Amino acid sequence: MFKTLKTFLLGEPLKSELEGDSHALTKLQALAMLSSDALSSIAYGPEQVILVLIALSEGAIWWSLPIGIGVLVLLISLTISYSQIIHAYPNGGGAYMVSSDNLSPSMGLLAGGSLLIDYMLTVAVSVSSGADAITSAFPAFKDSNLEISIVLVLILMLMNLRGLRESATALFVPVYFFIISILFLLICGLFQIVTGNLTYTATAHIGQPISGLTLVLLLRAFTSGSASLTGVEAISNAVPFFKKPKAKNAVKTLTMMSAILGAMFIGITFLNYWLGIIPNHNVTILAQIAQKVFGHSFIGQVLFYLFQIATALILAVAANTGFSAFPILSYNMAKNKYMPHLYLEKGARLGYSNGILTLAIGAICLLFILTVPLNV
């Protein structure tokens, strides 16, 4: 009975000879599977910059433009650095392997352990954000956030246990739906600006002096905006998942992801400045931009709700980056005897299933720890 249930949930076991290039990911599949965490940060990253600046003055919002350029420069630097890491470490491992080889084993262990914890936290926070987006659209389920979050973790776990290609296929729609939605929003917004249909309502002109502005505040806003770069390292950790030539395809995928992420971040930052949008506790900045760009016509409302659905979906599946990177990192650490050997073993669907299960269990425990006390 257990074997029948396992086959029903995960599919028929795959033969190990299928593990080669036929079971690996194309660039488009890898982009869907490994970029969800980074791309989802667009839903909150630009807003974090504004929240810091608005604490001083509404007029300080224009500083989000140079800060956005700074974040873009940092993204380019990270892309170049991770491209070099991909070529130097084609077996994956990312920061763990780089620190171990170039600093010391203890520094590598510190980096690896930090990343393992980070991936668990990423899964817990991402599914919680996805659950919040779902319950915001359906308030009747507001008291079931924890249950929805756990269900999302279990769905992602099953997807990844079914294998690389299956999970990449499942993520294809939400990730590319979000990319198309954001790019469509930016194109519509810029077109309306050029044609004069989107009024300039910025809170202050570029270059206007702001009383009380300090370097510390600007650096705080920059670090908050850099949250949009979370997940950029995931591709360098998962090079073995790619079709041959693995390193070359991984670098191309990383470049595509960075280009999309950079265009989204700077575009949302510019539209927010142009429209002079102020953070609202009940409505995100991204939603406010979509409302103003799409308007209040019937078609505009349809586009707005489709946009919100795309945002909710990307937040819900953002956790999959952790499910992609955690198992391969566990494998590399187990290979160096820092973790049990069971993390070296592959499951029936040729994935590192023990790493996937550990991540899911850890994330669910974190959800209980973070949520249950709040309900007492």
Side-chain angles (χ1 to χ4, degrees):
M1 182 178 175
F2 175 76
K3 185 177 180 181
T4 303
L5 179 62
K6 181 180 177 182
T7 302
F8 173 74
L9 292 174
L10 306 183
E12 293 289 341
L14 296 175
K15 296 181 180 179
S16 56
E17 50 263 32
L18 295 176
E19 193 176 358
D21 212 40
S22 62
H23 192 62
L25 301 176
T26 65
K27 293 187 287 291
L28 290 179
Q29 289 174 325
L31 183 65
M33 185 173 180
L34 300 171
S35 67
S36 56
D37 184 21
L39 296 179
S40 70
S41 63
I42 289 299
Y44 55 82
E47 183 166 2
Q48 295 306 307
V49 177
I50 308 302
L51 286 171
V52 174
L53 295 174
I54 203 71
L56 176 64
S57 165
E58 291 182 5
I61 289 179
W62 78 263
W63 272 98
S64 63
L65 295 176
I67 289 171
I69 294 173
V71 173
L72 193 61
V73 171
L74 179 59
L75 174 62
I76 293 171
S77 301
L78 287 173
T79 303
I80 294 172
S81 298
Y82 281 121
S83 296
Q84 294 174 333
I85 289 173
I86 288 170
H87 285 296
Y89 298 91
N91 292 323
Y96 166 68
M97 295 297 295
V98 174
S99 300
S100 297
D101 290 353
N102 296 283
L103 296 176
S104 68
S106 59
M107 293 302 293
L109 185 58
L110 178 64
S114 300
L115 281 172
L116 291 176
I117 296 171
D118 177 61
Y119 290 138
M120 284 191 183
L121 289 169
T122 296
V123 172
V125 171
S126 295
V127 297
S128 296
S129 299
D132 286 339
I134 293 170
T135 54
S136 296
F138 304 97
F141 298 99
K142 194 67 179 177
D143 294 331
S144 302
N145 268 36
L146 176 60
E147 291 80 1
I148 294 172
S149 298
I150 292 173
V151 169
L152 290 174
V153 172
L154 294 176
I155 290 172
L156 290 171
M157 180 191 74
L158 287 174
M159 278 171 36
N160 284 274
L161 286 174
R162 289 183 65 88
L164 289 176
R165 297 182 74 89
E166 285 75 9
S167 57
T169 301
L171 291 169
F172 208 86
V173 172
V175 171
Y176 284 103
F177 183 28
F178 179 72
I179 292 173
I180 292 170
S181 298
I182 291 284
L183 294 180
F184 182 72
L185 173 72
L186 297 180
I187 292 169
C188 286
L190 294 175
F191 178 77
Q192 291 184 58
I193 289 173
V194 172
T195 56
N197 294 323
L198 205 58
T199 308
Y200 175 75
T201 54
T203 55
H205 298 300
I206 295 176
Q208 181 174 321
I210 305 298
S211 177
L213 188 68
T214 64
L215 178 61
V216 173
L217 184 72
L218 292 177
L219 290 175
R220 171 94 179 268
F222 173 76
T223 55
S224 297
S226 297
S228 293
L229 307 184
T230 180
V232 172
E233 80 290 340
I235 292 175
S236 68
N237 289 334
V239 181
F241 294 164
F242 286 82
K243 283 183 175 291
K244 296 178 182 178
K246 295 180 182 294
K248 185 177 179 181
N249 286 332
V251 169
K252 286 182 178 179
T253 305
L254 174 63
T255 303
M256 282 193 297
M257 182 190 72
S258 298
I260 294 169
L261 180 61
M264 288 179 174
F265 185 89
I266 206 69
I268 293 298
T269 300
F270 174 73
L271 281 180
N272 182 80
Y273 160 74
W274 183 273
L275 296 171
I277 291 175
I278 308 299
N280 185 310
H281 179 70
N282 297 316
V283 185
T284 65
I285 278 181
L286 195 59
Q288 292 184 66
I289 292 173
Q291 286 176 332
K292 292 200 173 187
V293 170
F294 294 140
H296 298 286
S297 66
F298 174 75
I299 295 177
Q301 288 299 296
V302 170
L303 290 173
F304 172 74
Y305 282 111
L306 286 174
F307 182 82
Q308 288 298 92
I309 290 171
T311 303
L313 286 174
I314 195 70
L315 286 170
V317 303
N320 195 74
T321 297
F323 279 100
S324 304
F326 186 99
I328 194 71
L329 176 58
S330 300
Y331 167 82
N332 280 301
M333 294 184 71
K335 198 165 56 173
N336 293 333
K337 303 186 186 304
Y338 290 126
M339 293 184 71
H341 283 175
L342 61 88
Y343 291 102
L344 297 172
E345 300 173 2
K346 291 193 173 184
R349 300 288 292 183
L350 303 182
Y352 295 108
S353 52
N354 290 319
I356 295 169
L357 291 169
T358 300
L359 179 59
I361 294 169
I364 290 173
C365 290
L366 281 174
L367 287 170
F368 273 106
I369 293 170
L370 296 173
T371 306
V372 172
L374 298 178
N375 296 330
V376 175

